[in-house]
Amino acid sequence: MKRKQQKFHLYRWKRKVFAAILIGFCFGSLVLMQTQYTRIVSLRHRFAQKPKIAFLFIARNRLSLEMVWDKFFEGGENRFSIFVHSRPGFLFNKATTRSVYFLGCQVNDSTQVDWGEASMIEAERILLRHALEDPYNERFVFLSDSCIPLYNFRYTYNYIMSTSTSFVDSFADTKQGRYNPKMAPVIPVHNWRKGSQWAVLTRKHAEVVVNDTTVFPVFQQHCKRRSLPEFWRERSAPVDPAKEHNCIPDEHYVQTLLAQEGLEGELTRRSVTYSAWDLSSSKDHERRGWHPVTYKYSDATPKLIQSIKEIDNIYYETEYRREWCSSKGKPSRCFLFARKFTRPGALRLLNMSVLGGEGVEARNETVAK
């Protein structure tokens, strides 16, 4: 009797072990199948997902030209993302923006930006940090709150994605007063570059900017805003104004950093954003050229837009270099965006249906097909 009980208990124990093994095998198979399924779905999604362009807006408060951009982003088909940096405390919501594209796109760690200070490039770095969190973002476009798109989204996307390079306006700055000798030896003068801050960066170059712990601190320390004559009434005048340095960080930082890293061979050394600098616009000689021309309602005409679209080369005096613009290896127009436009001026262009459309090259390709 005792032996039978022992056999019975052994039999029950074996059944439990077998059941446990069977359950474990089934559970393991289920987990493996789920993992494989998730991987396949992920690969399919990754294969189907097109690379995106991150549009990085630096704004004071609201985006006054949002309706122009609202029209531009229509039909983007998940090929773009938007990030907005505005002053701390300002909130983008349904009360401050009428475009659904900008809701939920504001970064939550913005900094106070002061013209002529390193805070401007810190804002750029903040935008890039957020944009890089999306692995599908492969190009990063800096835009101001006064920028307008000249073409439609399709043409702009194809133009930017047609090259593996960044678009960075970069040239040797030989004028005295911008470079501070105290920056050496970290930043030698032969690596000092100047250009427009409105760049288009590849993911690789965006990561270089975000991970920089060498050049940015030097800009913070030695790039200080020079006091202009109209402010000398409020504080004592400098002993020697000529020795004050106003390096304008946003016009030098990205260009100089990429030169420091030996990456200039990976750049298309021009901007795709047009700005007009009229040195005779101010009667005050000290303020001439500090800011680009602002286009008001009366300035915003089809003729103006057409003249900007027809520009096909840029000349750099300090390097005796003429940059002929190209796209997909063919001669092309230089600019995709333009600034600085007031809200009335931009809305006038939008109502006249002047903005948008394909470039000449795209129309020619369509005809050829």
Side-chain angles (χ1 to χ4, degrees):
M1 186 70 180
K2 189 174 182 180
R3 178 176 292 182
K4 288 183 178 181
Q5 289 180 341
Q6 288 178 343
K7 287 184 177 181
F8 178 74
H9 286 307
L10 180 62
Y11 174 73
R12 288 185 61 186
W13 180 80
K14 287 182 178 180
R15 285 186 61 185
K16 288 181 179 180
V17 171
F18 177 77
I21 294 173
L22 183 62
I23 292 172
F25 175 78
C26 292
F27 180 76
S29 299
L30 182 63
V31 171
L32 181 61
M33 290 173 63
Q34 180 65 31
T35 301
Q36 291 294 335
Y37 175 77
T38 302
R39 185 178 180 184
I40 292 171
V41 170
S42 176
L43 288 172
R44 284 181 178 177
H45 178 68
R46 187 173 184 85
F47 180 77
Q49 173 67 57
K50 292 184 177 180
K52 296 194 296 185
I53 296 176
F55 291 85
L56 314 178
F57 289 87
I58 299 178
R60 297 173 182 84
N61 296 304
R62 62 173 296 177
L63 289 169
S64 59
L65 310 186
E66 61 186 357
M67 299 314 296
V68 176
W69 288 101
D70 190 270
K71 182 68 175 178
F72 171 79
F73 287 123
E74 287 181 1
E77 300 174 357
N78 298 319
R79 288 177 292 172
F80 69 90
S81 55
I82 300 172
F83 298 85
V84 182
H85 181 286
S86 55
R87 66 172 174 82
F90 183 83
L91 180 63
F92 272 83
N93 53 34
K94 291 183 179 180
T96 55
T97 180
R98 292 187 295 168
S99 172
V100 296
Y101 292 113
F102 293 102
L103 290 174
C105 297
Q106 183 181 13
V107 298
N108 57 9
D109 55 348
S110 62
T111 186
Q112 180 61 46
V113 173
D114 295 311
W115 181 81
E117 298 286 348
S119 55
M120 177 64 82
I121 54 180
E122 176 56 19
E124 295 177 355
R125 286 157 57 91
I126 289 172
L127 284 167
L128 287 174
R129 277 198 292 270
H130 284 275
L132 282 168
E133 292 177 1
D134 186 340
Y136 295 113
N137 286 333
E138 293 192 8
R139 297 293 186 277
F140 305 81
V141 182
F142 286 113
L143 298 161
S144 77
D145 52 8
S146 66
C147 280
I148 61 171
L150 297 174
Y151 301 98
N152 63 24
F153 181 86
R154 176 186 172 186
Y155 178 76
T156 303
Y157 180 91
N158 291 336
Y159 191 112
I160 291 175
M161 300 301 296
S162 67
T163 176
S164 60
T165 65
S166 293
F167 290 93
V168 180
D169 186 40
S170 177
F171 54 92
D173 185 11
T174 58
K175 294 181 180 179
Q176 294 182 354
R178 292 288 184 93
Y179 177 77
N180 190 335
K182 294 180 180 179
M183 293 179 174
V186 178
I187 304 176
V189 68
H190 65 261
N191 280 338
W192 185 247
R193 299 287 186 272
K194 184 180 185 297
S196 168
Q197 78 175 104
W198 311 112
V200 178
L201 300 180
T202 62
R203 189 172 184 88
K204 174 184 176 180
H205 296 159
E207 290 173 344
V208 169
V209 173
V210 167
N211 295 329
D212 169 39
T213 58
T214 304
V215 174
F216 180 61
V218 175
F219 271 76
Q220 285 181 305
Q221 182 179 358
H222 297 297
C223 269
K224 304 297 182 181
R225 182 169 58 187
R226 182 171 61 190
S227 55
L228 298 174
E230 55 264 45
F231 301 126
W232 292 351
R233 295 171 301 196
E234 304 172 10
R235 60 178 74 93
S236 59
V239 177
D240 186 357
K243 291 185 178 181
E244 284 197 307
H245 294 273
N246 192 345
C247 80
I248 316 296
D250 49 280
E251 294 183 1
H252 292 272
Y253 172 64
V254 171
Q255 292 83 352
T256 299
L257 172 62
L258 296 179
Q260 282 277 104
E261 296 293 325
L263 297 173
E264 288 188 299
E266 300 176 8
L267 307 179
T268 297
R269 293 174 62 188
R270 62 179 175 88
S271 176
V272 291
T273 299
Y274 174 82
S275 298
W277 297 85
D278 185 358
L279 300 181
S280 62
S281 62
S282 175
K283 294 181 180 179
D284 185 348
H285 180 72
E286 293 293 334
R287 294 305 300 272
R288 290 181 183 177
W290 285 99
H291 300 287
V293 172
T294 297
Y295 296 108
K296 301 178 182 179
Y297 181 89
S298 59
D299 305 311
T301 63
K303 183 178 180 180
L304 170 66
I305 298 303
Q306 187 60 34
S307 67
I308 296 173
K309 287 184 174 182
E310 288 178 352
I311 298 173
D312 60 2
N313 72 90
I314 305 170
Y315 183 69
Y316 294 91
E317 293 182 4
T318 61
E319 298 179 338
Y320 306 102
R321 169 172 62 95
R322 185 175 297 278
E323 190 77 27
W324 290 94
C325 302
S326 63
S327 176
K328 300 180 181 179
K330 300 178 181 179
S332 175
R333 307 309 183 195
C334 294
F335 300 110
L336 301 174
F337 314 101
R339 62 187 298 267
K340 302 172 59 173
F341 284 82
T342 62
R343 180 179 174 85
L347 291 180
R348 182 187 188 191
L349 294 171
L350 182 63
N351 292 333
M352 296 173 71
S353 299
V354 174
L355 305 178
E358 300 278 359
V360 175
E361 305 80 13
R363 290 200 299 271
N364 290 341
E365 288 181 6
T366 302
V367 172
K369 291 178 181 179

